[in-house]
Amino acid sequence: QVQLVESGGGLVQAGGSLRLSCAASGRTFSRITLSWFRQAPGKEREFVAGVSWNGGATGYADSVRGRFTVSRDYAKNTVYLQMNGLTPEDTAVYYCAARSGAWVSGDKNDYDYWGQGTQVTVSS
């Protein structure tokens, strides 16, 4: 079992920045990928960014590439999502998810564990 707890969401103005954190616990990481998804009202949950725990390979959705950066901290068992240049289109509940595998998948159905989500609201 893997438990994921997100934090760091909040309200920011357009052009601002936030850093989300995802603390993982419950088992030893090996060939595991941790990713961020988001879901806005009336829309499907979509992939944002992800990182393989061991190798550090990353992947990004086209909509956030160049603005968001995903990283990991081995000592803290934590994954981060640094979000810069935020726009109102980034407003959503952001979820941390984990899957078995050494590469990043953008398919939400590939993920077995999910956090509770953290709200990000960007005002214009």
Side-chain angles (χ1 to χ4, degrees):
Q1 298 183 9
V2 176
Q3 183 177 358
L4 306 172
V5 180
E6 304 99 329
S7 62
L11 174 64
V12 297
Q13 293 184 326
S17 299
L18 282 174
R19 188 178 74 163
L20 306 183
S21 299
C22 173
S25 62
R27 66 172 294 166
T28 302
F29 292 117
S30 55
R31 297 186 181 276
I32 293 177
T33 295
L34 291 110
S35 295
W36 293 93
F37 289 77
R38 66 186 182 186
Q39 187 166 20
K43 295 186 177 181
E44 296 293 322
R45 190 169 299 185
E46 65 176 358
F47 173 77
V48 177
V51 60
S52 63
W53 185 251
N54 289 339
T58 59
Y60 296 92
D62 290 340
S63 59
V64 306
R65 186 174 292 109
R67 298 188 297 123
F68 293 7
T69 303
V70 63
S71 61
R72 72 211 197 281
D73 187 325
Y74 288 118
K76 297 181 179 180
N77 287 332
T78 299
V79 176
Y80 302 98
L81 184 67
Q82 178 66 47
M83 305 186 294
N84 299 324
L86 287 164
T87 76
E89 293 183 345
D90 296 315
T91 295
V93 177
Y94 283 70
Y95 298 90
C96 184
R99 68 178 293 269
S100 177
W103 58 89
V104 176
S105 171
D107 187 348
K108 63 180 182 294
N109 295 315
D110 289 339
Y111 291 80
D112 302 309
Y113 305 98
W114 295 85
Q116 81 285 354
T118 184
Q119 177 71 47
V120 172
T121 303
V122 184
S123 62
S124 60

